[in-house]
């Protein structure tokens, strides 16, 4: 499958306003060729809008979209080297599965009919939909429709495949299976995949690189590991994985406190400590940073999750190795973590 | 429709209470349509108007009518007008409906719809005399349209005008059912504007297009006032000859012609239904 294309995408200073609403506020992003890039963010943060701008279905107010080194900002959608898989699939209801997939090959007359037919068959096999070739979209399940939508876009061998929440309509088991398949299709074709999602575990599993979006800006872009271990903002810290966020560090005689816990000295608007970095110690232990009353404990198999309440009422989640604690609901314990586990955001001047 | 029920394990279907709501409509239709058609048929097999219900059947009127070449030329004119008017109307209505649908500003679309609607807000007599004033020699266009008035082109012009709204609405409502995503997906898959129209829009709106054709065709072949006022006696359609025969008290002949008009309408309607089933069968 070496005939598939792959291009890098460079987005610089793209803005988009609908009426008086600023949906994208100066987005800059670079996407490596042949990589799997996820755009991750909460609902309404502008992910679909950004994807449509890359596809040429929407025009930015300002900014440049470069694909494979060529400025495509003014190129019409039907002339771009990209293909978009719509959030809804948008399969043509009057055409069969095979005709839907062949649609994008018939529009450009360069592909001979015989070749078009074999490419349709090849791509339908890739997404395991070969035996449904003569069905109409209305007779397919949601997951099958998504596969056909992906095949319809992939068969054109775009340099960049844009996917808008391709798995959101599926049940969890199917989602997990389709994630692996998406990843496999990306690796087998070598095409650049840009995939929108609001599901952080999906992004972490699929992507080489994740751009975390919030309210129309990219907060941080990097590998799943970078984002997890070095979140650049409070938003990223709370959006990627679970985190305990503490507000307003107050200077005291001995160290600084926030939400009833003692933190190492330093300025910050908010602090984050991962649940797995937290240890429970006896309440009177010298290492304790403050007391916490156990609200609930639950066993998940790999870990024990303990939810606690500090003296100021803040809830704290601890994720411990099974057997690391005997604490019961109602007990008061000491909360402890390493200084290095604390991440600080928005140090006020 | 019965499910796979075992013998003795029958499920009693409740009567649909909504069926009662249809009753007044059904009664009205039975009186207005079935009774009238029955009367028509009974008139057509008499030689003169009679109040005797069970007078002997006489097919003389039918045989003279069917052998009359004037009747057939009238039927020809009626069908030709129906075909030309429905085609022209639909060809004009399609882009109009598309235009209304794509208009960004609500008030502009509403204004456009009002313009499309306006012909049916004006009485047929006023509208027809309006066309006469426009087309006549010495009117605003001089004698450009001299040969149109009181000839088929004038009648066609006026019929297209009044039937436009009946074509725009079915087309508009079928366009409205198509999500913008379909045309966007087509564009994304490399389709030019022309290809998007031909391969996506047209097939998906075909049912609306066909019902527009159907509606305009039936309205045209039964139109009476417009051809009478703008045809100037030179363009004679079936509806006019029926009227004339009633004026001449030739009720049986009028009835024969009315039955012919009815049969023509039914044939055309079933043709359209067949085509609709053929192309729309697999869409949804
Ligand atoms: N055509 C439009 N006209 C007006 N506002 C729009 C339009 N398209 C999007 N918006 C607005 O832009 C914002 C971002 O929309 P967008 O569809 O990009 O969000 P998203 O990140 O894809 O959300 P989701 O995860 O729910 O799909 C929303 O507040 C939405 O209301
Ligand atoms: Mg979206």
């Amino acid at each position: 499958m070496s005939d598939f294309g792959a291009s890098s995408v460079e987005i610089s200073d793209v803005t988009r306003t609908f009426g008086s609403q600023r949906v994208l506020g100066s987005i800059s992003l670079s996407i490596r060729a042949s990589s799997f890039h996820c755009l991750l963010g909460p609902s309404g943060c502008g992910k679909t809008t950004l994807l449509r701008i890359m596809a040429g279905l929407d025009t930015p107010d300002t900014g440049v979209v470069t694909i494979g080194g060529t400025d495509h900002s003014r190129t019409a959608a039907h002339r771009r080297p990209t293909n978009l898989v719509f959030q809804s699939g948008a399969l043509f209801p009057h055409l069969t599965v095979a005709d839907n997939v062949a649609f994008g090959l018939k529009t450009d007359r360069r592909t001979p009919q015989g070749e078009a037919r074999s490419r349709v068959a090849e791509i339908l096999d890739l997404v395991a939909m070969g035996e449904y070739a003569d069905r109409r979209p209305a007779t397919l399940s949601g997951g099958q429709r998504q596969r056909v939508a992906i095949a319809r876009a992939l068969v054109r061998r775009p340099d960049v495949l844009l996917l808008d929440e391709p798995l959101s309509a599926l049940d969890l088991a199917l989602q997990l299976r389709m994630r692996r398949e998406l990843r496999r299709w990306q690796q087998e074709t070598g095409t650049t995949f840009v995939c929108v999602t609001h599901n952080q575990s999906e992004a972490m599993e699929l992507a080489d690189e994740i751009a975390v979006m919030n309210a129309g800006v990219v907060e941080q872009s990097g590998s799943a590991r970078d984002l997890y271990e070095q979140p650049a903002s409070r938003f990223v810290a709370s959006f990627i994985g679970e985190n305990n966020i503490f507000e307003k560090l107050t200077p005291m005689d001995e160290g600084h406190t926030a939400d009833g816990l003692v933190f190492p000295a330093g300025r910050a608007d908010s602090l984050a400590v991962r649940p797995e970095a937290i240890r429970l110690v006896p309440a009177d232990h010298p290492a304790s940073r403050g007391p916490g009353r156990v609200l609930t404990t639950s066993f998940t198999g790999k870990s024990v999750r303990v939810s606690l309440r500090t003296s100021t009422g803040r809830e704290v989640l601890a994720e411990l190795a099974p057997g690391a604690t005997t604490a019961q609901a109602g007990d008061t314990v000491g909360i402890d973590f390493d200084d290095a586990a604390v991440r600080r955001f928005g140090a006020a001047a | 429709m019965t499910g796979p029920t075992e013998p003795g394990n029958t499920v009693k279907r409740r009567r649909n209470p909504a069926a009662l709501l249809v009753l007044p409509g059904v009664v009205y239709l039975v009186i207005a349509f079935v009774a009238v058609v029955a009367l028509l048929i009974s008139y057509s097999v008499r030689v003169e108007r009679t109040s005797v219900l069970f007078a002997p059947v006489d097919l003389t009127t039918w045989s003279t009518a069917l052998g009359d070449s004037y009747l057939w030329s009238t039927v020809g004119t009626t069908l030709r007008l129906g075909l030309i008017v429905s085609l022209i109307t639909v060809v004009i209505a399609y882009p109009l409906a598309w235009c209304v649908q794509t208009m960004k500003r609500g008030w502009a679309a509403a204004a456009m719809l009002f313009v499309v609607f306006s012909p049916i807000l004006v009485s047929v007599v006023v509208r027809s005399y309006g066309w006469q004033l426009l087309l006549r020699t010495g009117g605003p266009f001089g004698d450009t349209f001299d040969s149109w008035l009181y000839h088929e082109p004038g009648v066609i012009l006026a019929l297209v005008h009044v039937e436009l709204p009946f074509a725009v609405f079915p087309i508009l409502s079928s366009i409205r059912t198509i999500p913008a995503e379909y045309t966007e997906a087509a564009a994304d898959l490399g389709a030019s504007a022309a290809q998007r129209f031909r391969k996506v829009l047209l097939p998906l709106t075909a049912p609306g297009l066909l019902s527009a054709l159907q509606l305009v065709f039936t309205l045209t072949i039964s139109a009476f006032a417009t051809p009478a006022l703008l045809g100037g006696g030179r363009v004679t359609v079936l509806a006019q000859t029926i009227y004339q025969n009633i004026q001449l008290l030739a009720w049986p002949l009028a009835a024969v012609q009315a039955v012919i008009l009815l049969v023509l309408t039914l044939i055309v309607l079933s043709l359209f239904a067949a085509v609709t089933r053929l192309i729309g069968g697999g869409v949804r």
Side-chain angles (χ1 to χ4, degrees), chain B residues 16-51:
Chain B
N16 184 355
L20 272 181
L21 295 177
V22 205
L23 205 61
V26 170
V27 169
Y28 181 78
L29 282 181
V30 166
I31 293 172
F33 185 76
V34 179
V36 168
V37 169
L39 261 180
L40 267 184
I41 292 173
S42 105
Y43 274 148
S44 77
V45 292
R46 306 283 137 78
V47 275
E48 57 186 33
R49 188 180 174 190
T50 167
S51 55

Side-chain angles (χ1 to χ4, degrees), chain A residues 18 21 23 41-50 87 164-165 198:
Chain A
F18 287 115
Q21 187 194 1
V23 173
S43 185
C45 71
K47 305 180 296 288
T48 298
T49 307
L50 182 58
Q87 201 158 354
D164 195 355
E165 307 203 17
H198 56 235

